[in-house]
């Protein structure tokens, strides 16, 4: 005879494994996306990073409106704020005041706050677009290499090795430095941004390509792929309907981690003087200009440096949390 279910004291004698299984029963009936969102929402650090990323995106989108109410035009010279002898701000703390929230630049007197806000547009635009190019190329090449294998995998893998060994920074400096004033229907900074997006995105695809290739190698041997193949599904159908949806999570995670790398690369190019042409504000360009004034006006260097640091840190924290939330092997 079996024991009744409501035996007194049964709760006290329950095994820890049974209690853990019961605790996880709340995930039943939820989709993988809902479970991942619940786990991500519990990660406070990742949510703070995500919140800052959203904040910076909104700052970039609404830069003209923000500057209209809180600052001055980013390229407007304010000579009344500059000491004619020292060429630095004639007010304490680098000119920081309610009218100039982060102070003013030496010599020109331009509003640092406004230039930081507008600089976010360049950094976020290039970071996102270059990552999109890398993700598209890396996903296509990685999934083809991992699925077909053989000589196709060998050729694409060697191509990845070549791109990874390529001196990207030197090539970018050489190419951006010799581009004409107009090409492909673009001119000026529009052309430079397009060239930067192409260079950064096209030469960074092997990083995500290797990840997708490894994931595809494990997925192509799974039962659902074999079942589709046995039912007569073609290679394109399997790649599009079976493999690609299961690769969405790693693609999203590594794209999130690639964006800050691209932002840093754009800042490095602007710092070296081969990025977007002045007077268009960029964080790297502001750092380059601030090198000569770091003693007299430390706020001039601190503002763009903190903007780059906090943005990159936020993306990395969000990417790490997203990876933990989407990885089914991670314990909550």
């Amino acid at each position: 005879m079996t024991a009744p279910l409501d035996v007194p004291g049964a709760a006290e004698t329950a095994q820890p494994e049974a209690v853990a299984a019961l605790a996880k029963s709340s995930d039943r009936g939820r989709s993988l996306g809902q479970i991942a969102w619940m786990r991500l929402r519990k990660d406070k650090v990742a949510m703070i990073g995500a919140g800052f990323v959203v904040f910076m995106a909104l700052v970039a989108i609404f830069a003209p409106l923000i500057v209209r109410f809180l600052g001055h035009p980013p390229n407007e010279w304010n000579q009344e704020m500059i000491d004619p002898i020292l060429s630095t701000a004639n007010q304490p703390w680098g000119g920081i005041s309610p009218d100039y929230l982060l102070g003013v630049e030496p010599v020109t007197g331009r509003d640092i706050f406004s230039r930081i806000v507008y600089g976010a547009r360049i950094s976020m635009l290039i970071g996102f677009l270059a990552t999109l190019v890398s993700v598209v190329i890396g996903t296509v090449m990685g999934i083809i290499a991992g699925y077909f294998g053989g000589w196709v995998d060998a050729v694409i893998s060697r191509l990845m090795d070549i791109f990874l060994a390529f001196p990207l920074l030197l090539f970018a400096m050489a190419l951006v430095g010799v581009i004409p004033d107009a090409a492909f229907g673009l001119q000026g900074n529009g052309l430079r941004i397009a060239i930067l997006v192409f260079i950064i995105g096209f030469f960074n695809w092997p990083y995500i390509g290797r990840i997708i290739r490894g994931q595809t190698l494990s997925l192509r041997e799974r039962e659902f792929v074999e079942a589709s193949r046995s039912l007569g599904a073609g290679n394109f159908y399997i790649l599009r309907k079976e493999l690609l949806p299961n690769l969405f999570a790693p693609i999203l995670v590594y794209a999130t981690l690639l964006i800050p790398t691209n932002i840093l690369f754009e800042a490095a190019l602007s710092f070296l003087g081969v990025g977007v042409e002045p007077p268009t504000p960029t964080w790297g360009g502001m750092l380059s200009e601030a090198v000569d004034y770091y003693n007299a006006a430390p706020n001039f260097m601190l503002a763009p440096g903190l903007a780059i640091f906090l943005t990159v840190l936020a993306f990395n924290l969000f990417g790490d949390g997203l990876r933990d939330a989407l990885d089914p092997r991670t314990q909550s």
Side-chain angles (χ1 to χ4, degrees):
M1 178 180 296
T2 59
L5 296 178
D6 56 345
V7 176
E12 289 79 358
T13 59
Q15 298 298 319
E17 293 82 1
V19 175
L22 182 62
K24 292 184 177 181
S25 63
S26 59
D27 289 343
R28 294 178 181 177
R30 291 189 172 93
S31 65
L32 294 178
Q34 291 174 326
I35 296 174
W37 167 244
M38 290 178 59
R39 299 177 67 178
L40 179 63
R41 193 170 54 184
K42 294 178 182 178
D43 191 340
K44 302 302 182 183
V45 175
M47 292 303 295
I48 292 175
F52 191 82
V53 167
V54 173
F55 169 74
M56 290 306 302
L58 293 176
V59 167
I61 294 172
F62 297 104
L65 188 63
I66 295 173
V67 169
R68 178 181 177 183
F69 289 100
L70 298 177
H72 302 75
N75 296 325
E76 181 181 82
W77 288 34
N78 303 287
Q79 292 295 325
E80 71 278 3
M81 296 293 298
I82 300 299
D83 188 305
I85 299 177
L86 301 177
S87 296
T88 57
N90 55 21
Q91 302 293 328
W93 302 100
I96 295 177
S97 66
D99 291 331
Y100 298 90
L101 299 180
L102 296 178
V104 296
E105 292 184 353
V107 181
T108 63
R110 292 180 297 194
D111 189 351
I112 295 179
F113 171 78
S114 299
R115 294 181 65 79
I116 289 292
V117 170
Y118 269 87
R121 288 189 134 187
I122 301 296
S123 295
M124 300 293 280
L125 178 65
I126 293 178
F128 275 98
L129 292 182
T131 300
L132 179 62
V133 173
S134 297
V135 167
V136 172
I137 300 176
T139 299
V140 172
M141 301 296 279
I143 198 173
I144 291 176
Y147 179 75
F148 290 102
W151 68 268
V152 176
D153 185 21
V155 170
I156 294 179
S157 296
R158 298 295 76 77
L159 188 62
M160 291 181 184
D161 294 335
I162 293 174
F163 273 84
L164 291 174
F166 201 83
L168 178 56
L169 183 60
L170 295 178
F171 178 76
M173 292 174 60
L175 184 59
V176 175
V178 299
I179 59 175
D181 294 333
F184 311 110
L186 300 173
Q187 59 182 356
N189 282 329
L191 177 60
R192 281 182 169 261
I193 291 175
I195 294 295
L196 289 175
V197 168
F198 171 76
I199 293 174
I200 299 173
F202 183 73
F203 286 93
N204 277 335
W205 70 263
Y207 294 100
I208 193 169
R210 282 189 166 183
I211 299 298
I212 300 304
R213 173 186 174 273
Q215 294 287 333
T216 305
L217 285 173
S218 62
L219 287 174
R220 71 177 185 179
E221 305 298 334
R222 299 287 292 272
E223 293 81 1
F224 62 90
V225 176
E226 294 294 338
S228 295
R229 190 179 291 114
S230 65
L231 292 174
N235 291 329
F236 179 74
Y237 178 88
I238 294 175
L239 291 174
R240 183 169 56 92
K241 292 293 187 179
E242 301 293 349
L243 294 180
L244 192 58
N246 287 280
L247 293 170
F248 178 75
I251 290 173
L252 181 61
V253 169
Y254 287 99
T256 306
L257 296 174
L258 189 59
I259 291 174
T261 302
N262 293 337
I263 290 177
L264 283 176
F265 193 85
E266 180 277 327
L269 290 177
S270 296
F271 181 83
L272 295 173
V274 292
V276 176
E277 292 181 331
T280 301
T282 63
W283 292 343
M286 293 179 67
L287 277 177
S288 179
E289 295 173 0
V291 170
D292 297 331
Y293 303 97
Y294 68 92
N295 282 328
N299 60 309
F300 187 19
M301 176 174 286
L302 187 63
L306 277 177
I308 296 173
F309 171 74
L310 293 176
T311 303
V312 171
L313 178 63
F315 271 107
N316 286 330
L317 293 177
F318 175 55
D320 289 339
L322 189 63
R323 178 184 56 196
D324 294 339
L326 294 173
D327 188 354
R329 294 168 296 182
T330 303
Q331 298 296 324
S332 58

